[in-house]
Amino acid sequence: MIENALKILENSNLFITGGAGSGKTTLTRAIIEHANAHGKKVASLASTGMAATLIGGQTLHSFFDLGIANSQEELERNGKLECSKKVHKLIHSMLLIVIDEISMVGAAVLDMIRLRLLQGEFNGKLVVIGDFLQLPPVVRGNEMIYFAFESPSWERFSFETIHLKGSFRTHEEEFLSLLEKVRHASISQEESDSLAALVRPLPEDKSTITLLYGKNISAQNHNRAQLAHLHGDEIEISTHVTVHDKKMQDRDVERFMTESRIESVMVLKVGAPILFTRNAWNYYNGERGRIASIEDDTVWVKKEDGKSVKVERVETTKTRWIEKGKVMNEEKLMTLSQFPVTLAFAITIHKSQGMSLSDYVIETNEIFAPSQFYVALSRSISAHRVTLTKPNRSWERLCFIHPKALNFVKTIVSNR
């Protein structure tokens, strides 16, 4: 598949899509590694700070100097419509720009991106990755959702599409079939019965499961309550902050922490269940374990397979590109250092993106966004390792997706 992607990128921009667990991230990393190995400057970008952290990149707004604008009109009002010399040189120096989670990028933001690429005389290739049948762009209040593919810029980019199929997360054929039906909101009585079979009683010991909530406050409250039930002292682990640029202020650090979903102080207890939030050689993003001991710069975690792993702090770095002589180089602005774990009593569906989960429960009555239920259900490595709470609405109404996204995905499939 990497050979096909590289061949496309010789002449065209590329759109990589497919369902959850189909290998989009793996293929993207291979493309980036190939570009880096051949000395090409690559910008790895995403619409949110958390998504950017997972690919070791920056947010779109930061890289393209969009400030807080969500449209060209706001860009003009904020005095940022013109491209600065610095941003022009940065864009012009790039040979590959990668944008992850494209489903969460709105049409107006894509128009701003194209404006900057034109202003910066971008001569490289653009790769966008995502599944429009997953989480849509976040909008304010009752604003209409306009997807990236609705922008005139989408057609002008003339993307060639690679549509990945299957799943590396689960190999259960019946479950894969159910996921595809939920993904397309094609729910018959058979799928309703399959989903109903996943409604099971919850264990008395809530520390053995992870509750997946739609709302952040629900996850926070459940984590606090369950942690309080555990014996032992709470241990506060501060996030180490290193500021490399003296112009960075406290509010800049706080904003970066919020964007990256990293707390200033993480509260744990020995015996508390955790989920890993990164991939490493001896654990994966979403894998479960329990805190065995906490030392100064080491946390020992006993995984479910009985193995104990030494977990050290990992760094999350905010960078910017600066001109040194005639060359653009990436420079650190600040670095956050924290253990790559989170309490496993509860997490949000949004935070679960990219994770492979087992022994978790989806709180179905907190599903409020299109495709949110599919995102939650598709985290599972097995139909036997996920439980649903009984919804207060029909399965058809729970598995709703945005009709514009569905029509677009159908068009991609029919054109292949």
Side-chain angles (χ1 to χ4, degrees):
M1 192 58 73
I2 179 64
E3 291 81 7
N4 185 26
L6 295 175
K7 187 174 181 180
I8 289 172
L9 285 170
E10 289 176 7
N11 302 300
S12 304
N13 296 318
L14 176 61
F15 169 41
I16 300 171
T17 191
S22 60
K24 297 186 295 295
T25 300
T26 301
L27 178 56
T28 302
R29 284 180 180 151
I31 291 170
I32 293 171
E33 287 170 7
H34 182 272
N36 286 331
H38 287 76
K40 296 181 179 179
K41 285 212 175 297
V42 182
S44 301
L45 313 175
S47 59
T48 67
M50 188 179 75
T53 297
L54 290 174
I55 60 170
Q58 297 174 254
T59 62
L60 297 169
H61 280 68
S62 171
F63 180 82
F64 289 112
D65 190 29
L66 303 178
I68 58 172
N70 284 311
S71 68
Q72 288 190 29
E73 291 75 21
E74 290 182 17
L75 201 64
E76 187 170 16
R77 280 200 301 273
N78 298 340
K80 285 185 171 286
L81 189 60
E82 297 302 319
C83 179
S84 68
K85 289 182 179 178
K86 174 185 165 186
V87 173
H88 176 281
K89 185 146 194 172
L90 171 61
I91 292 171
H92 191 64
S93 70
M94 294 294 156
L95 289 178
L96 184 67
I97 294 180
V98 177
I99 301 176
D100 200 10
E101 300 292 2
I102 192 65
S103 73
M104 299 182 72
V105 177
V109 174
L110 191 69
D111 285 337
M112 288 194 291
I113 292 169
R114 185 167 182 272
L115 172 67
R116 283 289 192 256
L117 293 178
L118 291 171
Q119 290 172 332
E121 298 177 283
F122 177 58
N123 292 317
K125 293 295 185 289
L126 181 65
V127 180
V128 298
I129 309 99
D131 176 15
F132 285 105
L133 295 182
Q134 293 193 41
L135 295 181
V138 177
V139 296
R140 301 165 184 162
N142 294 318
E143 287 182 357
M144 289 277 290
I145 291 176
Y146 291 100
F147 292 91
F149 60 76
E150 295 184 86
S151 160
S153 301
W154 184 272
E155 270 194 42
R156 288 171 182 151
F157 282 129
S158 300
F159 292 111
E160 288 281 328
T161 301
I162 289 180
H163 189 190
L164 301 174
K165 293 184 177 181
S167 174
F168 292 99
R169 188 166 288 144
T170 180
H171 300 289
E172 298 172 5
E173 290 300 325
E174 286 186 13
F175 188 45
L176 280 171
S177 175
L178 175 62
L179 287 176
E180 274 301 291
K181 294 287 186 179
V182 171
R183 180 172 176 245
H184 290 89
S186 178
I187 304 299
S188 67
Q189 188 59 50
E190 182 181 353
E191 285 72 49
S192 293
D193 291 343
S194 296
L195 291 170
L198 299 179
V199 177
R200 296 184 274 256
L202 304 189
E204 284 188 26
D205 182 5
K206 298 294 191 299
S207 72
T208 62
I209 56 171
T210 298
L211 272 159
L212 222 58
Y213 286 101
K215 300 170 186 173
N216 195 45
I217 188 66
S218 301
Q220 287 179 344
N221 289 340
H222 186 75
N223 275 327
R224 290 193 189 107
Q226 290 298 313
L227 191 65
H229 287 159
L230 285 182
H231 295 297
D233 297 327
E234 291 187 351
I235 299 174
E236 296 185 346
I237 304 174
S238 298
T239 297
H240 295 168
V241 180
T242 304
V243 177
H244 306 283
D245 185 331
K246 293 179 181 178
K247 293 179 182 177
M248 291 290 103
Q249 300 178 11
D250 289 345
R251 67 172 180 269
D252 298 315
V253 175
E254 289 171 11
R255 188 182 302 118
F256 185 48
M257 281 187 176
T258 301
E259 288 176 351
S260 305
R261 299 289 196 277
I262 295 174
E263 300 171 295
S264 59
V265 177
M266 181 166 57
V267 181
L268 298 175
K269 280 184 180 179
V270 171
I274 59 89
L275 298 174
F276 292 101
T277 58
R278 296 285 182 93
N279 289 313
W281 69 271
N282 53 354
Y283 56 81
Y284 63 82
N285 188 14
E287 189 175 9
R288 195 179 174 87
R290 283 186 183 268
I291 301 293
S293 68
I294 300 172
E295 301 165 14
D296 288 343
D297 285 307
T298 305
V299 171
W300 284 91
V301 175
K302 188 171 185 178
K303 299 196 299 179
E304 291 194 320
D305 61 8
K307 294 178 181 177
S308 292
V309 294
K310 179 182 180 181
V311 184
E312 297 176 312
R313 289 175 180 265
V314 298
E315 293 186 344
T316 302
T317 304
K318 184 177 181 65
T319 63
R320 70 177 173 196
W321 291 83
I322 64 164
E323 184 179 356
K324 286 190 175 180
K326 294 184 178 182
V327 180
M328 299 299 295
N329 288 312
E330 202 168 8
E331 181 184 73
K332 293 180 179 180
L333 293 177
M334 68 181 84
T335 300
L336 309 178
S337 175
Q338 185 55 280
F339 295 104
V341 299
T342 188
L343 285 172
F345 298 115
I347 59 171
T348 62
I349 294 169
H350 187 273
K351 192 170 184 177
S352 76
Q353 277 196 293
M355 287 185 172
S356 297
L357 297 175
S358 59
D359 301 322
Y360 73 105
V361 177
I362 301 171
E363 177 44 82
T364 59
N365 294 311
E366 286 218 340
I367 301 296
F368 60 87
S371 300
Q372 198 176 21
F373 180 63
Y374 168 69
V375 171
L377 189 63
S378 62
R379 301 305 96 199
S380 184
I381 63 173
S382 167
H384 306 290
R385 308 295 290 273
V386 58
T387 297
L388 309 180
T389 61
K390 188 174 182 179
N392 55 15
R393 53 189 148 159
S394 68
W395 296 110
E396 290 86 352
R397 291 184 62 199
L398 187 71
C399 302
F400 71 105
I401 59 179
H402 204 290
K404 291 190 292 188
L406 181 59
N407 289 335
F408 176 75
V409 171
K410 284 181 176 177
T411 301
I412 289 175
V413 174
S414 64
N415 288 341
R416 290 184 73 242

